[in-house]
Amino acid sequence: MTDLETPLAAPRAPALRRAAPALLGYAAVRALGLVVLAGWSAARGKSAYTLLTARWDSLWYTRVAELGYGYQVRLPNGDVHSNLAFFPLLPWLERLLHALAPLSYADAGFTVSLLASLAAAWGVFAVTDVVYGRRVGVCAVLVWAVLPVGIVQSMAYSESLFTALAAWSLYAVLTGRWVTAGTLAALAGLTRPVGLAVVAAVWAAGVISFVRDRGRGAQDRGADQPDGAHHGERAPEASGAARARRAPEATGAPHAPRAPHVTAPGAPAWRRALGMLLAPVGAAAYVLWVGHRTGRGPLGYLDVQAGWRNGFDGGYAFARFVADKFTSFPSALAGAGLILGVGLLLWLYVTGVRQRQPLPLLVYTGVVFALALCASSYFGSKPRLLMPAFPVLLPLARALARLRVGRSALVTAGVAVASAVYGAFWLNGSGPP
């Protein structure tokens, strides 16, 4: 399923210039969403900016930024909602920006989210570009932008920040920058619990690279080679073929989908090991700190999540939630829609496997899916919890890229309008997204 021999080289064109069409398209989609949200909210007598910055989870993050940890709410049913459930990187950035600029904590959160969403879009483009090329990269960013829950990318939530860190960590893995990959994975682990998905991707790539190195070494020792090969000389044809595969544009060959890989050959073992060791540091540090803070040991964070009725039950609670929708006719339509939606996601994931996506992307997406769909959390939030799993959209991006430019633009514009309307309706609802 993977080709461990072929590295994926980063494109040689200036990175920002190469990504500019994707970023401009992303900014246009997000601007449309904000304009529709402003009009819809005004018609209902609400403030769009308040919906984006000062409701639901946004309030919890700004409260952590302003007052620190230790705040909790006890509900009439006995549940305890503690702000220890919220990972610290976003509040830290809000506090830093508040200290450096004349911005409120809510303004700082919105600014961080705005910048992080652009960084995330750039990261989605970079990952897709290095695997499938620039045109598919632009389409991947647009597909990610027009998700029905895309309005969350403009909220003072942590999804955009996490997606940016995850995407650039995956890009670093794909291009053999192991220390960078581990550092970004550690930061992702300080952002959301799903940072475990980034850690899993880095570790999967690292473990397989070491296994392959060991197998290659055993093969070299047992093979009957010329004297020069026994002294570490490389076969010249292999390096030439690798160069042609790394940079098809530089050789004048048409750009074709590039072979997936796990790691760039030749990366020093100590760099790979260091990247793997750094990856889980962020999540582990925060979880252990919460355990110390609560006095409940390493499992203290799970107790905090239990106070929010969050836990991992293998999908039982979600399945029961969907089944309950079929108790009456109107809600049965929603239940059917949920089943179709989950089925579509699983089909896209299987399609990515068949299209031989790089292993780190498949591992990352699989863990995000498992943590989102198999958790007994608030079910209305599951769509946004799935939003960081951008690699699952790559089959759609490839299909969109095969259309003519005019037809592709028309399809994207139509979906963007529908997404903007749905986002405005969703955010003006009674429950949190």
Side-chain angles (χ1 to χ4, degrees):
M1 184 172 67
T2 57
D3 175 8
L4 305 186
E5 303 294 337
T6 306
L8 300 182
R12 296 183 178 183
L16 183 57
R17 184 187 307 170
R18 188 174 181 85
L23 297 180
L24 290 174
Y26 177 80
V29 172
R30 291 274 49 81
L32 174 64
L34 293 176
V35 168
V36 173
L37 174 65
W40 191 296
S41 301
R44 294 176 58 88
K46 296 182 179 180
S47 166
Y49 190 70
T50 299
L51 293 176
L52 294 171
T53 64
R55 291 189 71 187
W56 306 303
D57 289 7
S58 299
L59 286 176
W60 287 91
Y61 282 118
T62 56
R63 191 174 284 120
V64 172
E66 183 177 5
L67 303 174
Y69 285 105
Y71 177 81
Q72 65 182 30
V73 175
R74 184 174 296 275
L75 303 184
N77 65 356
D79 290 345
V80 177
H81 288 185
S82 168
N83 63 2
L84 290 170
F86 295 86
F87 277 50
L89 186 58
L90 177 57
W92 286 349
L93 293 176
E94 290 177 346
R95 181 179 295 181
L96 176 63
L97 194 56
H98 171 76
L100 296 178
L103 296 174
S104 68
Y105 290 105
D107 294 339
F110 181 73
T111 303
V112 170
S113 180
L114 175 65
L115 298 176
S117 68
L118 291 172
W122 193 355
V124 171
F125 171 82
V127 169
T128 311
D129 183 26
V130 83
V131 178
Y132 295 122
R134 186 184 190 187
R135 182 176 175 83
V136 182
V138 172
C139 291
V141 171
L142 294 176
V143 172
W144 188 67
V146 301
L147 288 174
V149 295
I151 191 64
V152 175
Q153 298 162 11
S154 299
M155 298 181 68
Y157 274 34
S158 60
E159 272 75 14
S160 292
L161 178 61
F162 173 79
T163 305
L165 294 168
W168 284 107
S169 179
L170 292 170
Y171 174 80
V173 169
L174 293 176
T175 54
R177 297 168 171 87
W178 286 92
V179 177
T180 300
T183 301
L184 292 173
L187 292 173
L190 284 171
T191 308
R192 296 190 62 81
V194 75
L196 294 175
V198 192
V199 177
V202 173
W203 271 74
V207 167
I208 290 184
S209 73
F210 281 116
V211 171
R212 191 55 180 265
D213 282 354
R214 184 176 180 180
R216 187 185 296 116
Q219 184 180 18
D220 289 346
R221 286 192 299 272
D224 189 12
Q225 298 177 347
D227 291 341
H230 282 295
H231 287 84
E233 296 178 7
R234 291 180 179 268
E237 65 85 20
S239 61
R243 281 196 300 271
R245 288 194 297 265
R246 284 181 197 150
E249 294 172 343
T251 62
H255 196 292
R258 310 177 196 188
H261 90 309
V262 170
T263 180
W270 71 268
R271 286 184 175 272
R272 282 178 276 167
L274 180 57
M276 293 173 67
L277 289 174
L278 287 172
V281 166
Y286 183 67
V287 168
L288 291 175
W289 178 81
V290 170
H292 175 74
R293 173 76 178 253
T294 60
R296 297 172 184 173
L299 301 181
Y301 183 76
L302 298 181
D303 292 335
V304 171
Q305 286 284 13
W308 288 79
R309 295 188 178 270
N310 292 337
F312 189 88
D313 63 1
Y316 172 75
F318 184 51
R320 190 175 61 182
F321 173 78
V322 174
D324 288 343
K325 294 293 182 182
F326 290 93
T327 57
S328 62
F329 173 72
S331 63
L333 296 177
L338 288 172
I339 292 175
L340 289 175
V342 173
L344 174 62
L345 289 175
L346 295 178
W347 177 78
L348 288 173
Y349 184 78
V350 172
T351 302
V353 174
R354 290 175 175 172
Q355 292 178 351
R356 302 179 68 242
Q357 279 187 18
L359 181 64
L361 302 188
L362 294 174
V363 171
Y364 167 76
T365 304
V367 176
V368 172
F369 276 8
L371 293 178
L373 296 177
C374 297
S376 57
S377 56
Y378 172 64
F379 301 108
S381 295
K382 288 193 181 293
R384 71 171 175 87
L385 297 180
L386 291 165
M387 192 176 65
F390 67 90
V392 78
L393 303 174
L394 297 189
L396 294 178
R398 295 185 69 183
L400 186 63
R402 287 193 289 267
L403 299 178
R404 293 182 178 180
V405 174
R407 182 173 296 180
S408 176
L410 186 62
V411 170
T412 303
V415 178
V417 171
S419 174
V421 172
Y422 178 78
F425 166 78
W426 193 41
L427 233 59
N428 276 274
S430 59

